[in-house]
Amino acid sequence: ELVREAERRRGQIKKIEKSGIGDINRRMTALDLETRALERDGTIDPASRDARSAAINESRAILQKEYEVLAAQARDAATDTRP
């Protein structure tokens, strides 16, 4: 019984890490690349650059909140002591 419960929790954690957190990491990486491209783009006017940068930062903040929720779920699954 304990082994099955441990396997269940491990499965939950793996799912959270692989699908949820992995997706967030990919999206954060894409935002990082977009930020670098924006910084190198000499053709964009400063107001447009600032607006796009603000939008990227807003997206990053949303993803960080999603990450925190998933990380808490993974922690909870790891420490779940239900019988």
Side-chain angles (χ1 to χ4, degrees):
E1 182 64 34
L2 290 175
V3 172
R4 275 184 273 173
E5 180 60 24
E7 288 173 354
R8 182 191 66 77
R9 287 195 313 248
R10 200 170 332 160
Q12 285 179 314
I13 293 166
K14 189 173 184 177
K15 182 180 177 184
I16 290 167
E17 290 175 343
K18 191 166 188 163
S19 62
I21 292 175
D23 180 56
I24 289 171
N25 285 337
R26 283 186 291 280
R27 291 162 51 197
M28 288 283 237
T29 298
L31 291 174
D32 291 342
L33 293 172
E34 191 173 347
T35 297
R36 283 188 224 131
L38 186 62
E39 291 168 352
R40 288 189 213 126
D41 187 350
T43 64
I44 190 167
D45 66 275
S48 296
R49 178 178 291 129
D50 290 346
R52 185 62 199 133
S53 181
I56 291 169
N57 289 336
E58 184 177 332
S59 294
R60 190 176 278 117
I62 291 168
L63 289 173
Q64 182 63 37
K65 287 180 184 177
E66 290 176 19
Y67 171 84
E68 290 168 6
V69 168
L70 291 174
Q73 289 174 357
R75 275 191 308 274
D76 291 346
T79 59
D80 185 5
T81 58
R82 282 185 284 164

